[in-house]
Amino acid sequence: MVGVIEKRDIRKLSLEEVKTFFVERGEKSFRAQQVYDWLWKKAAKDFDQMTNLSISTREMLKEHFTINHIRVDNMQRSEDGTIKNAVTLYDGLVVESVLIPTKDRITACVSSQVGCSLDCKFCATARLKRMRNLSPDEIYDQVVAIKQQAELFFNRPLTNIVFMGMGEPLLNYINVIEAITKLTSPEGLNMASRRITLSTVGIAKMIKKMADDDVKFNLAVSLHDAINETRSAIMPINETNPLEDLADALKYWYKKTKRKVTYEYVVWKDINDTQEHIQALVKFCKHIPCKVNLIEYNPIDDGVFQQASPEAVQRYQSTLEKNGIVARIRKSRGKDIDAACGQLANKS
Ligand code: SAH
C-alpha cells in the first residue's frame, strides 16, 4: 500500500535514534529528551499526553510510531494486602505481576516470559506453555504499574523488584538486562540495583555470563533439593544442568561479584523432608556464602506435592543454623488470590 507508513513501537528506539528522527525532520534535538521522559519516566501511553510538545509534533509522532503499552485489566487484592495484576500485552497475551507489601518494603514481583518452558513439577506456570519472551519495555511497564499502585493504595514508594513471576529470566537474558538497565538509570526509575533480585532455576552457563557481565543486582536460585536424583525428578532442567555445574557456576559468581546467593527451598512431605536431604543441602551451602529461604508450598491442586510438617521445616532451619547458615522460614503472601510463588497461571 503506497503512502502508508509501517508504524514502529517508539520504545524500541534509543534516545539517539529519537534525536535523529527529530533532526532529520528539522526539529530541535532536545525534543527527543522530552519524548524519552514521557515514555520512560512518566510511562505515557499516548502521544497526546505529551503536552509540552506542539500538536503538530505529536501528530507527526503518531504518524510514524505506536506506543505498545501494557494494560492492567484485572487487579485482585488479597486479605493480606497483596495485589495481583493480570497484565494484557499489546498482542493480547496475558502475564501476571504482583505487589507485595510488608512493614518496611513494597516489592514488585514481575514476569519475564509469557508461560514457561521449564516444566518444574510443582509450579502452576509450568502448565502454560512458553509463548514468547517479554520485551524490555513490557518488563519495565509491569514495574511502573506497581509503583503507581504502591503510591495510590499505600501512599508509599516502591522499594524492591524481584524477577519471580512467570518465566525464567535467564532464558530471556538480553531483554531482562535491558529492562534492569532502564529501571536503574536516571532516565528511567533510578532504582538501586541492590534492591533488585533475579530468581532462576540455576542455568549454570548464564550465571557465569552474569558474573562476567558484572551485574550489580542480587541472585536467588530455586534449589529445592541438593541431591541430583530428587532435583531432576522435580525440576527437569537439572538433568542437563546438574548440581555440580550449578555449584561451579555459583563459585564463579561469588569469585567475581563477592555477593551472597539466596537459595529458595520448599520442603515437601515424602520428597525432601528427611535428614539425608537436609545434610545434602548443608553440604551444598558450603560452596559459597549464602542464605536459605525456606518457602511455604503453595498447592497447585495436583495431589502429588504437599507441604511438609512444621517440624520438618524446623529441622531444616535448625540444622542449617547450627552449621552457620542463615535460614529463614517465609510465609506465603496472596495465597487467597493465587498470587503466591508458583501460583501464577492466568486463572482469571
Ligand atoms: N523461573 C524462576 C522464577 C519464577 S518462580 C525460578 O525458577 O526461580 C519463583 C519462585 O517460586 C521459585 O523459587 C520457584 O521455585 C517457586 N515456586 C514455584 N512453584 C511454587 C509453589 N507451588 N509453591 C511455592 N513456591 C513455588
Side-chain angles (χ1 to χ4, degrees):
M1 285 198 293
V2 184
V4 175
I5 300 171
E6 178 82 45
K7 291 188 192 185
R8 296 173 67 192
D9 177 10
I10 189 162
R11 287 191 304 174
K12 299 277 182 289
L13 272 62
S14 67
L15 179 58
E16 277 315 307
E17 289 169 317
V18 183
K19 272 188 191 157
T20 308
F21 173 84
F22 276 121
V23 172
E24 278 173 356
R25 284 161 184 79
E27 295 244 6
K28 296 270 185 292
S29 70
F30 74 87
R31 295 277 172 227
Q33 186 64 55
Q34 292 176 320
V35 170
Y36 228 62
D37 281 355
W38 280 108
L39 291 174
W40 296 103
K41 277 208 182 110
K42 301 176 206 153
K45 295 186 157 86
D46 195 311
F47 291 107
D48 284 328
Q49 283 174 267
M50 305 184 179
T51 45
N52 53 357
L53 303 181
S54 69
I55 293 180
S56 62
T57 305
R58 285 184 242 158
E59 289 305 320
M60 180 177 74
L61 288 169
K62 280 189 226 171
E63 247 175 66
H64 290 84
F65 300 109
T66 58
I67 304 175
N68 289 350
H69 60 85
I70 63 165
R71 233 175 37 228
V72 175
D73 274 340
N74 187 356
M75 189 191 99
Q76 288 171 275
R77 288 190 81 169
S78 157
E79 293 160 358
D80 65 20
T82 301
I83 295 177
K84 180 168 84 169
N85 298 310
V87 172
T88 307
L89 309 172
Y90 76 95
D91 58 359
L93 292 172
V94 177
V95 292
E96 293 176 332
S97 68
V98 185
L99 176 157
I100 308 153
T102 58
K103 203 166 111 283
D104 42 31
R105 288 180 180 191
I106 292 202
T107 301
C109 173
V110 297
S111 295
S112 55
Q113 299 182 308
V114 187
C116 190
S117 57
L118 291 174
D119 202 25
C120 298
K121 302 302 175 197
F122 47 82
C123 180
T125 306
R127 293 176 180 170
L128 307 171
K129 76 172 194 294
R130 179 191 161 285
M131 306 287 282
R132 70 169 170 88
N133 285 337
L134 295 192
S135 63
D137 44 281
E138 287 169 334
I139 297 169
Y140 180 94
D141 284 357
Q142 293 174 66
V143 178
V144 172
I146 290 177
K147 176 180 148 70
Q148 289 166 348
Q149 292 172 334
E151 286 155 9
L152 182 65
F153 297 116
F154 298 87
N155 202 12
R156 284 162 55 189
L158 174 71
T159 59
N160 293 70
I161 304 170
V162 294
F163 284 82
M164 294 186 188
M166 293 174 161
E168 169 50 46
L170 294 189
L171 293 180
N172 184 16
Y173 183 69
I174 293 174
N175 292 354
V176 166
I177 293 294
E178 208 175 311
I180 293 177
T181 304
K182 248 324 176 295
L183 289 165
T184 52
S185 88
E187 268 158 35
L189 297 187
N190 216 0
M191 298 272 305
S193 300
R194 67 192 149 74
R195 294 191 170 274
I196 300 177
T197 300
L198 183 150
S199 175
T200 172
V201 285
I203 299 162
K205 74 168 198 277
M206 295 310 294
I207 292 176
K208 287 186 174 163
K209 168 138 182 61
M210 277 197 293
D212 285 336
D213 290 347
D214 197 24
V215 300
K216 301 291 183 217
F217 48 80
N218 302 300
L219 176 62
V221 173
S222 301
L223 193 59
H224 302 308
D225 208 90
I227 298 173
N228 273 323
E229 199 190 346
T230 310
R231 193 167 192 261
S232 294
I234 59 178
M235 301 174 73
I237 182 80
N238 194 69
E239 286 164 23
T240 49
N241 185 90
L243 289 158
E244 295 74 18
D245 294 1
L246 177 57
D248 261 1
L250 290 169
K251 286 180 202 163
Y252 189 79
W253 162 271
Y254 187 74
K255 201 172 97 195
K256 288 238 162 177
T257 67
K258 291 282 169 292
R259 280 202 308 283
K260 257 190 196 175
V261 168
T262 301
Y263 299 129
E264 295 154 281
Y265 202 102
V266 177
V267 188
W268 288 285
K269 184 170 178 290
D270 300 333
I271 291 178
N272 58 359
D273 57 352
T274 62
Q275 206 55 39
E276 188 198 358
H277 293 271
I278 300 180
Q279 288 309 329
L281 176 60
V282 168
K283 198 167 157 216
F284 193 86
C285 286
K286 302 260 157 90
H287 289 308
I288 59 163
C290 64
K291 78 173 198 211
V292 177
N293 278 343
L294 295 164
I295 55 184
E296 196 182 337
Y297 176 54
N298 302 305
I300 56 165
D301 310 325
D302 70 336
V304 178
F305 291 91
Q306 280 172 53
Q307 170 73 41
S309 67
E311 296 74 34
V313 181
Q314 271 301 327
R315 254 195 321 274
Y316 260 95
Q317 189 186 31
S318 56
T319 313
L320 287 163
E321 300 247 298
K322 249 184 251 153
N323 282 275
I325 301 147
V326 177
R328 297 276 170 265
I329 298 175
R330 297 261 181 241
K331 278 253 153 280
S332 63
R333 309 286 310 267
K335 242 180 172 173
D336 54 327
I337 54 167
D338 285 334
C341 295
Q343 290 187 311
L344 303 183
N346 292 347
K347 258 196 206 169
S348 52

